[in-house]
Amino acid sequence: MSSTSRECVISPSRPDKLSVPLLDLKPQYQALKAELDEAMLKVAASQRFILGPAVRELEEKLAAYCGAKHGIGLSSGTDALLIALMAYDIGVGDEVVTSPYTFFATGGTIARVGARPVFLDIDPVTYNLRADLVQRFLEEDCERRAGGLYNRETGGRVLALMPVHLYGQSADMDPLMALARRHGLPVIEDAAQAIGAEYPVSRRVGGIGDIGCLSFFPTKNLGAFGDAGMCVTNDDALAAKLRILRVHGGEPKYYHAVVGGNFRIDELQAAVLLVKYRYLEQWHAGRRRNAAYYDAAFREAGMTVRLSTPTAQPGYRHVYNQYVIRVPDRDRVRAYLAECGVGTEVYYPVPLHMQQCFAYLGYRPEDCPESARAARETLALPVYPELSEAQLQYVVDRISEYLGRG
């Protein structure tokens, strides 16, 4: 039988085909239904749907959780990135340094304000932005003139760094922060996948840079019942500006010194998130437990020579929004797992420097080779907290079964 047409063959020791979805939110909802219903009915009874007490409480709690003074509840993680760029007046002729191996919103929001994303490659182990490449770009490819830092090739003014904490693990923030301070650049953290992740020593992402951007999309470790997000910051003036920008730039109401947008988080979403927040650490622990199970089971099966499991850096806390393996023949492995009832996802099949909408930037695949390789080889496996050991082992067995016949 060719590798392109293998059928799911269940080993004698596990005769039953299991269903292992990439993510199933129903068990979480059923466990919290009474609390969630009560919280939503409380909002309904109050008829306070916009920037009410639940929003304020959520902002205070999540800011403190991230090690920041201020939280600004927003309509989505994408809008958190967008409003952060707006808060620094970044626009046409400006440039922002970031990673090409990330969700589209990272580069998309930079383009939306009229700025130019500068894509630099990732570390192949952590999938996060390489600080040494950022240093090389800032110190070799840029020059200081007219009070700013300018890209020699494009003439654009470099105004910010936007590192991404991908899959639930912090980027290497100390060298990035040192570079930013040396060159007078703000750091906007894309922490959409990493609430609760920690960088040595016990510093939580979001509160390390100047503005941290969070997403509460339903698939996140802390997920709403729809879109929601937040910016966190320790800067009083930035917090005030972000609050004004999220209400169309009006301060006081109907008086507009700046143009903002309708970026408010809903009171109902805040109420849902307050309930779920009580369980966030428990869910982090569940994801870490499942990741550790996978790590051990793949080692026991002798698969670590055929695939690579995620590496949690020493001293970091990885919260595993995704558990991402590297495997050659990735697409065939994925197809086989689908036949066997295992849900997977490819994050991300086309890195941003190769997206059609960014063709005008002039990047080639080889400009960010590790991002291009990750796009070919990575596969996310189910890791949500409610998975059973039988489901986890089933995933490992099916992958081992496929690769073992290779």
Side-chain angles (χ1 to χ4, degrees):
M1 185 183 298
S2 72
S3 61
T4 58
S5 60
R6 293 175 184 168
E7 296 177 356
C8 180
V9 178
I10 308 304
S11 63
S13 61
R14 290 191 177 274
D16 298 324
K17 181 176 179 178
L18 296 182
S19 174
V20 191
L22 179 67
L23 177 64
D24 184 359
L25 291 171
K26 291 177 183 176
Q28 182 190 97
Y29 171 65
Q30 291 300 326
L32 303 182
K33 185 178 185 304
E35 294 175 73
L36 290 164
D37 288 353
E38 180 183 0
M40 290 187 289
L41 287 171
K42 184 178 178 180
V43 174
S46 75
Q47 290 294 289
R48 296 190 63 183
F49 297 115
I50 305 297
L51 299 182
V55 169
R56 290 193 294 274
E57 184 180 354
L58 183 72
E59 290 173 336
E60 292 172 2
K61 287 186 173 178
L62 292 189
Y65 181 78
C66 294
K69 287 173 62 179
H70 304 281
I72 300 89
L74 300 162
S75 40
S76 69
T78 298
D79 287 340
L81 294 169
L82 181 63
I83 200 173
L85 293 163
M86 293 170 67
Y88 284 110
D89 300 315
I90 293 172
V92 177
D94 300 327
E95 299 189 353
V96 178
V97 177
T98 193
S99 163
Y101 187 64
T102 176
F103 180 61
F104 182 78
T106 311
T109 52
I110 296 169
R112 280 179 64 189
V113 297
R116 181 185 182 92
V118 176
F119 295 124
L120 300 179
D121 212 2
I122 58 169
D123 181 297
V125 174
T126 67
Y127 306 109
N128 286 324
L129 187 64
R130 279 178 52 182
D132 63 322
L133 296 182
V134 177
Q135 180 176 3
R136 185 185 306 168
F137 170 73
L138 295 178
E139 298 182 356
E140 297 181 13
D141 298 336
C142 297
E143 62 184 5
R144 185 159 293 280
R145 54 184 169 83
L149 189 66
Y150 289 84
N151 185 335
R152 288 193 180 96
E153 181 180 352
T154 65
R157 184 176 181 180
V158 181
L159 279 190
L161 305 184
M162 188 184 281
V164 183
H165 307 299
L166 202 66
Y167 298 147
Q169 181 164 223
S170 175
D172 191 4
M173 290 301 292
D174 278 347
L176 290 171
M177 292 300 297
L179 285 166
R181 296 299 177 248
R182 188 182 313 154
H183 295 284
L185 304 175
V187 174
I188 299 169
E189 297 179 70
D190 183 342
Q193 298 180 6
I195 185 171
E198 294 179 359
Y199 182 73
V201 178
S202 299
R203 289 172 284 167
R204 287 192 177 150
V205 301
I208 301 172
D210 297 284
I211 301 178
C213 301
L214 308 175
S215 171
F216 308 123
F217 188 76
T219 60
K220 299 298 192 289
N221 289 27
L222 180 61
F225 277 7
D227 280 312
M230 185 173 290
C231 283
V232 296
T233 183
N234 283 296
D235 188 305
D236 297 346
L238 270 178
K241 188 170 185 180
L242 289 164
R243 291 192 180 100
I244 293 170
L245 286 169
R246 76 172 169 184
V247 289
H248 297 284
E251 178 63 29
K253 190 176 182 180
Y254 302 128
Y255 291 82
H256 299 263
V258 296
V259 176
N262 182 9
F263 300 134
R264 303 170 302 217
I265 190 173
D266 286 337
E267 183 78 358
L268 277 165
Q269 298 294 359
V272 166
L273 289 165
L274 279 170
V275 172
K276 290 191 169 190
Y277 170 68
R278 302 169 199 156
Y279 301 91
L280 181 57
E281 284 299 310
Q282 176 182 319
W283 294 336
H284 285 333
R287 287 173 177 271
R288 289 165 60 83
R289 180 184 64 246
N290 290 346
Y293 186 98
Y294 274 140
D295 292 345
F298 280 124
R299 284 196 302 270
E300 180 68 22
M303 285 294 110
T304 53
V305 296
R306 295 175 180 255
L307 59 82
S308 299
T309 56
T311 298
Q313 295 291 87
Y316 291 55
R317 182 168 83 150
H318 198 322
V319 297
Y320 294 99
N321 186 232
Q322 288 90 17
Y323 183 94
V324 176
I325 63 170
R326 273 188 189 269
V327 60
D329 204 19
R330 186 267 317 279
D331 293 336
R332 290 178 177 175
V333 172
R334 187 183 188 207
Y336 181 72
L337 290 174
E339 292 174 8
C340 296
V342 176
T344 60
E345 186 57 274
V346 174
Y347 305 100
Y348 299 92
V350 182
L352 297 190
H353 74 298
M354 286 291 96
Q355 292 286 353
Q356 182 178 348
C357 66
F358 289 132
Y360 69 94
L361 296 173
Y363 285 97
R364 304 163 300 171
E366 58 267 29
D367 291 330
C368 297
E370 292 299 342
S371 297
R373 187 166 74 92
R376 293 191 303 269
E377 297 180 352
T378 53
L379 185 67
L381 305 180
V383 74
Y384 61 95
E386 293 82 9
L387 288 164
S388 67
E389 286 194 3
Q391 288 175 305
L392 296 168
Q393 188 62 50
Y394 181 81
V395 175
V396 173
D397 288 346
R398 300 292 73 77
I399 292 174
S400 302
E401 189 173 69
Y402 183 93
L403 295 179
R405 283 191 263 150

